[in-house]
Amino acid sequence: YPIGSHFHVPHGLSNSLMLPHVLRFNGFLPSAAELYRDLTPIVFPKLSAIRGNSAEVLADGYAQLSVDLRIPTNLKEVGIKNTDLQFLAVEAMKVDRLMPNNPREVKLEDALELYTQ
């Protein structure tokens, strides 16, 4: 939410910018990794047939989809500077509605790392 609310990036675009990184982050949690393995062949059947089923493959599929659609693929492309990332991380930690729903606990340093990728 902070990407959209503070930098006026459309919600769907901000999701596409962060989704590959969040999938990789959550994929280290075995329960999330299992769900992502199940989802990969449904969402990206051709990629799954070539590379298998994992959070990494799912994340790569979404990252490639953004490239294929010719939409921005990083925060810099939507006007967010490196100097804004700490602010974004702090603001993300304030979104109480979403953080408890994430399968893996997100700490401030995790949020900052996600924004720097």
Side-chain angles (χ1 to χ4, degrees):
Y1 283 119
I3 294 172
S5 62
H6 295 289
F7 294 92
H8 310 292
V9 175
H11 184 71
L13 178 55
S14 65
N15 285 338
S16 72
L17 290 167
M18 297 307 301
L19 183 60
H21 309 300
V22 172
L23 289 171
R24 288 184 185 100
F25 173 78
N26 288 338
F28 284 102
L29 187 68
S31 59
E34 182 178 346
L35 294 172
Y36 298 160
R37 275 193 303 277
D38 293 344
L39 191 57
T40 303
I42 296 167
V43 179
F44 298 109
K46 291 179 184 177
L47 184 60
S48 175
I50 295 167
R51 295 193 39 215
N53 304 328
S54 69
E56 187 69 27
V57 174
L58 185 62
D60 288 349
Y62 279 114
Q64 185 59 50
L65 181 60
S66 292
V67 171
D68 294 346
L69 293 173
R70 297 186 175 137
I71 61 176
T73 58
N74 62 60
L75 296 176
K76 184 177 180 182
E77 291 180 47
V78 294
I80 298 174
K81 301 176 181 105
N82 286 340
T83 55
D84 298 320
L85 301 181
Q86 179 71 33
F87 170 74
L88 278 175
V90 169
E91 291 298 299
M93 299 309 296
K94 296 177 183 177
V95 184
D96 294 334
R97 188 175 73 77
L98 297 178
M99 290 301 179
N101 294 322
N102 196 63
R104 183 175 169 193
E105 181 183 4
V106 180
K107 298 178 182 167
L108 178 61
E109 57 269 15
D110 299 321
L112 182 57
E113 179 64 26
L114 287 166
Y115 284 124
T116 60
Q117 297 179 16

